[in-house]
Amino acid sequence: MPVEITWWGHATCTVEDSDVRVLTDPLFARRLAHLRRRRGAPPPPAAWHADVALVSHLHADHLHVPSLARLEPGTRLLVPRGALGAVAGLRRLARLRITEVTPGDRVEVGGLVVRVVPARHDGRRLPVGRHRSPALGYVVEGEARTYFAGDTGLFETMAEEVGPVDAALLPVGGWGPYLGAGHLDAGRAAQALARLAPGSAVPVHYGTYWPIGMDAVRPHEFHAPGDEFVRLAAERAPGVAVHRLGHGESVRLEGAR
């Protein structure tokens, strides 16, 4: 059975595997604080449907409470350990089945296993927040093994800690003119791809949101990361098929190799 991956923009994807719909870092807003969506329409209501939603860390562009509130009652929601204490709005989402997870956990959802893996990123809700939760990645294991990296920097033990995967959803940019520590740009994402050696990859986390009033500041950081990742991946990981999707576009992949 093929696995279908749809990119809705930023870090929000739907992975359909074994008749289970997995939604990553749901963000459905046109505007978030000082950010506005500059490319692609917000995901349609059909995108809000999932059997399980995965939240990689507590930053507001990844754990967005108003977007989570649009999920259907009974949707399973996996969040980093400590999130319920750090984000008061989560505790009001009583319609959802929320589970806190940490690296090493395995959660069964229908015919899938969701494996929780480490990320290298600041997991706090706010830059100066006192509440800490681990930043996470996830590997969705069904017909294929699909790695959703969330936000992460490159780290030496990435391949070992993530394990073998068939597809990788890798961040290649950000939402502003400069990337801070704990992020992948197109070059570092291509290095990660070479280490992970999946069969396929989809670049995410770029070309969607940008600070209001800063359209002319380093615009290549908004427009270029996807194409740059495709170019660098061909050099550093030539055996990987890279699928650069537009907003709302999908790719169907075969199962595990």
Side-chain angles (χ1 to χ4, degrees):
M1 177 186 298
V3 174
E4 185 168 280
I5 297 170
T6 304
W7 182 49
W8 301 110
H10 203 53
T12 306
C13 298
T14 297
V15 178
E16 297 186 63
D17 188 334
S18 305
D19 293 322
V20 178
R21 287 174 60 92
V22 181
L23 185 64
T24 66
D25 285 351
L27 181 57
F28 306 141
R30 292 185 179 275
R31 179 172 175 177
L32 174 63
H34 64 299
L35 306 178
R36 66 180 173 90
R37 190 173 181 119
R38 286 191 55 206
R39 181 183 290 163
W48 308 350
H49 169 68
D51 298 290
V52 60
L54 313 178
V55 169
S56 63
H57 62 290
L58 305 193
H59 292 176
D61 59 320
H62 293 259
L63 195 167
H64 186 243
V65 173
S67 294
L68 295 176
R70 296 182 182 180
L71 300 179
E72 296 174 351
T75 300
R76 191 82 180 269
L77 177 63
L78 306 187
V79 299
R81 181 192 60 209
L84 287 166
V87 184
L90 274 179
R91 298 192 291 274
R92 295 193 291 270
L93 300 179
R95 304 176 306 117
L96 305 181
R97 298 164 55 207
I98 302 176
T99 302
E100 293 190 335
V101 294
T102 194
D105 288 348
R106 297 170 62 90
V107 179
E108 294 187 13
V109 182
L112 298 179
V113 171
V114 178
R115 187 163 51 85
V116 186
V117 300
R120 299 295 189 270
H121 190 70
D122 186 345
R124 290 177 292 180
R125 178 60 171 175
L126 296 172
V128 295
R130 63 185 178 88
H131 296 288
R132 281 195 172 273
S133 290
L136 307 174
Y138 296 91
V139 179
V140 178
E141 299 182 338
E143 293 291 327
R145 297 159 297 187
T146 303
Y147 171 46
F148 169 60
D151 261 356
T152 187
L154 188 66
F155 54 99
E156 288 296 325
T157 58
M158 176 180 277
E160 176 185 345
E161 297 194 57
V162 171
V165 292
D166 302 294
L169 312 179
L170 292 179
V172 301
W175 50 253
Y178 299 97
L179 278 177
H183 292 88
L184 297 178
D185 62 8
R188 291 189 292 272
Q191 292 180 54
L193 197 64
R195 295 181 185 185
L196 295 166
S200 302
V202 175
V204 302
H205 204 274
Y206 77 99
T208 308
Y209 291 91
W210 203 250
I212 294 169
M214 297 187 70
D215 289 7
V217 180
R218 295 172 60 84
H220 61 283
E221 297 292 353
F222 179 84
H223 295 285
D227 289 335
E228 184 72 357
F229 175 70
V230 171
R231 182 183 71 81
L232 293 173
E235 294 177 0
R236 299 174 185 174
V240 180
V242 177
H243 305 275
R244 183 189 179 284
L245 302 178
H247 294 81
E249 289 186 346
S250 304
V251 61
R252 292 172 68 86
L253 308 174
E254 294 303 318
R257 291 175 292 171

